[in-house]
Amino acid sequence: MTIRILPAIGDPDAARAVSSLLHQLPDAEPAPTVADSAALLHALAGAAAQGAGAAAAGAPSAAGQPSAVEALPEVVLVHERIGPTPALELIREVALRFPAVGVVLITTDAGPALFSAAMDAGARGIVGMPLGYDELAARVQAAAQWSAGVRVHLGGSPEAAPGPAGTLVTVTGAKGGVGTTVTAVQLALAARAAGRSVALVDLDLQSGDVASYLDVQFRRSVVDLAGIQDISVRVLQDAVHDHHTGLGLLLAPEEGERGEEVDDRAARQIIGALRSRYEVVLVDCGSQMQSANAAAVELADLALLVTTPDVVAVRAAKRQVRLWDRLQIRKAEDTTTVVNRLTRNTEIQPPLVAKATGTQVARTHVPAAFKELQPCVDAGRMQDLDNRSTVKQALCALAGELGLVDSPSVRQGRGSHRARPTLTGRKRKAITPGAAPASGGVPGQASGSASGAGPVPGPRFGVRRGSGAAASPGPFDPSGPYEEG
């Protein structure tokens, strides 16, 4: 049996030593070494996705397992000095997301305390430093045999997945008051309306407002899961509030000081448990970076940064992006900026935001229309926002752009004026093609059916402003703007 091995080692000297020994193992097929935790998770997720695509195309593996499982390496080696995610937390994440992979920890301290902690995290063995051929071969072989047994078990159910199918999306504000929570709530509602199971997590631990925006009073919060080592389905159900819209809500604590109980380890474990149960996990990270929401941004499949088109907010967005880069949380090019409250006349337009922050800017921009939001905000019922609201239409279109909605109900295009929210928040009046013209027809055309000329075509584009109500419609004239409601 060929054993595929993926080493994750940040120390160059240790990486060379491990690579040299792995090439000596019989039937071993070592992959190139990855240098950090993010690269390891990305490589495993890519292999699983590639295998899942092969399975969907009708190409199962020779052993009968689903191709998604077969595409993963049998053994992953994790060095104790891997970063930025600590080694034990990384092992826990791999074991949770890819249960068919055997993980072996390489460490200089192979004592009973670390051995117990590694087993609790999901490792299949420990190799002590300095490395020895016999010990490494034994641990790799044992982990590969365990992985093969798990894959045979998964092969009995073709629908079994190698890891959670849930998409993790984080929404972070450049600063306070830019519309972070409204964006997160509406994206979650749009994904739920599309038929997906959605969890909305409030990791703005000191000043989270998801409960206020959705009119929820619930005594459980994310803090109740912070001290639990193994989050079972029953424990998760007790902490998640089932909202009547179909969303699963994991709320911030009412006592802001308790937010310190949720550290990065707890956040990773909670998010992993949610991703194993929900198709979409949306996390409101607020605007203040703490260890918990920093871990969420690092793990996110999509990291959104919400800003408004003003100098202060754009500067804050730039600071946030630089902070993420310095702490190795996320690179600027892997971040998507959402421009909120955009108007026609603002001097800062999305291309300038992209240039200033170095991030990608979403094609869909949210217009400034607070009058539409105010009744729902004051009532604390964002779920009741009118479907005709330009803000809701724009956020539904954003959900479609991000892939959270397969068939967005609101699409931007050239076909309909109603389908396109204007930047000013005002709607153009509907145009009825073929409408009968007023008493003053287009010159050169007969009016009425008595002329034998057949039906008189209506105006091609719109109604030009005139001096009175009886002003005649005519062809499109750039000097005559559309009437706006």
Side-chain angles (χ1 to χ4, degrees):
M1 177 183 89
T2 301
I3 304 174
R4 290 166 298 175
I5 307 170
L6 177 58
I9 304 172
D11 184 4
D13 295 334
R16 286 191 292 269
V18 171
S19 177
S20 176
L21 287 176
L22 290 179
H23 283 89
Q24 300 177 33
L25 298 181
D27 300 325
E29 186 180 313
T33 303
V34 295
D36 55 55
S37 58
L40 173 62
L41 294 176
H42 180 73
L44 292 175
Q50 183 178 2
S61 64
Q65 295 98 343
S67 297
V69 175
E70 184 66 15
L72 291 168
E74 284 78 16
V75 180
V76 168
L77 300 178
V78 175
H79 191 261
E80 63 178 354
R81 295 174 61 184
I82 195 73
T85 304
L88 292 181
E89 296 303 323
L90 180 60
I91 292 173
R92 189 186 305 276
E93 181 74 12
V94 172
L96 182 63
R97 295 182 60 181
F98 309 99
V101 175
V103 186
V104 176
L105 175 64
I106 300 176
T107 177
T108 56
D109 177 18
L114 181 61
F115 181 85
S116 177
M119 295 300 105
D120 289 341
R124 303 310 308 171
I126 290 183
V127 177
M129 295 280 286
L131 293 175
Y133 174 85
D134 293 336
E135 184 182 10
L136 180 62
R139 296 294 175 264
V140 167
Q141 187 68 32
Q145 291 176 353
W146 175 87
S147 176
V150 172
R151 293 173 193 226
V152 170
H153 174 71
L154 292 178
S157 175
E159 296 181 356
T167 300
L168 176 60
V169 182
T170 58
V171 185
T172 308
K175 67 181 189 66
V178 296
T180 308
T181 302
V182 171
T183 301
V185 169
Q186 288 299 325
L187 289 177
L189 290 171
R192 183 68 191 101
R196 297 190 174 188
S197 58
V198 181
L200 178 58
V201 186
D202 195 346
L203 278 186
D204 188 1
L205 297 173
Q206 291 187 350
S207 55
D209 285 323
V210 168
S212 299
Y213 276 95
L214 292 174
D215 191 23
V216 173
Q217 293 182 353
F218 192 60
R219 60 188 180 88
R220 299 286 187 185
S221 72
V222 65
V223 174
D224 295 307
L225 298 177
I228 300 177
Q229 295 295 329
D230 186 12
I231 302 177
S232 63
V233 175
R234 178 63 181 274
V235 171
L236 194 63
Q237 287 177 342
D238 290 340
V240 174
H241 173 70
D242 294 325
H243 197 252
H244 65 83
T245 58
L247 298 178
L249 304 180
L250 188 56
L251 305 173
E254 291 187 3
E255 303 84 4
E257 65 274 12
R258 296 198 62 193
E260 298 179 356
E261 300 176 27
V262 185
D263 55 9
D264 57 339
R265 182 206 61 79
R268 294 175 190 278
Q269 189 173 3
I270 292 168
I271 289 172
L274 290 169
R275 294 182 73 179
S276 65
R277 183 181 177 194
Y278 294 92
E279 295 178 81
V280 177
V281 179
L282 262 152
V283 182
D284 179 2
C285 293
S287 58
Q288 299 295 324
M289 277 292 99
Q290 300 170 340
S291 60
N293 47 25
V297 172
E298 181 188 348
L299 295 173
D301 299 305
L302 293 169
L304 304 183
L305 182 61
V306 181
T307 185
T308 49
D310 58 85
V311 174
V312 175
V314 173
R315 285 179 176 173
K318 187 175 181 179
R319 287 197 305 269
Q320 191 76 272
V321 170
R322 287 180 173 179
L323 174 65
W324 289 351
D325 185 62
R326 289 195 305 270
L327 298 180
Q328 299 183 3
I329 296 173
R330 200 170 195 89
K331 296 181 179 179
E333 55 268 26
D334 296 331
T335 304
T336 301
T337 300
V338 178
V339 181
N340 189 23
R341 301 175 194 155
L342 186 65
T343 63
R344 292 181 187 273
N345 301 323
T346 183
E347 294 183 4
I348 299 179
Q349 291 295 318
L352 183 57
V353 175
K355 183 177 180 180
T357 61
T359 63
Q360 306 176 37
V361 173
R363 296 189 304 272
T364 305
H365 316 305
V366 184
F370 185 70
K371 288 184 178 180
E372 299 175 358
L373 296 173
Q374 187 172 5
C376 297
V377 171
D378 291 343
R381 296 183 61 85
M382 285 301 301
Q383 67 271 21
D384 294 338
L385 186 61
D386 195 330
N387 290 332
R388 295 172 296 179
S389 164
T390 56
V391 174
K392 184 169 185 175
Q393 289 180 4
L395 288 171
C396 286
L398 177 62
E401 179 183 338
L402 299 175
L404 303 180
V405 177
D406 294 328
S407 299
S409 58
V410 179
R411 300 190 181 189
Q412 293 184 329
R414 300 173 59 91
S416 170
H417 290 294
R418 288 186 180 273
R420 292 182 294 175
T422 64
L423 294 179
T424 59
R426 296 184 292 177
K427 301 177 183 177
R428 290 170 176 162
K429 290 186 177 180
I431 298 170
T432 307
S439 57
V442 178
Q445 292 182 351
S447 62
S449 58
S451 63
V456 178
R460 291 178 58 195
F461 294 93
V463 179
R464 194 167 40 183
R465 296 181 190 264
S467 57
S472 62
F476 174 71
D477 183 356
S479 63
Y482 293 108
E483 286 194 8
E484 296 183 347

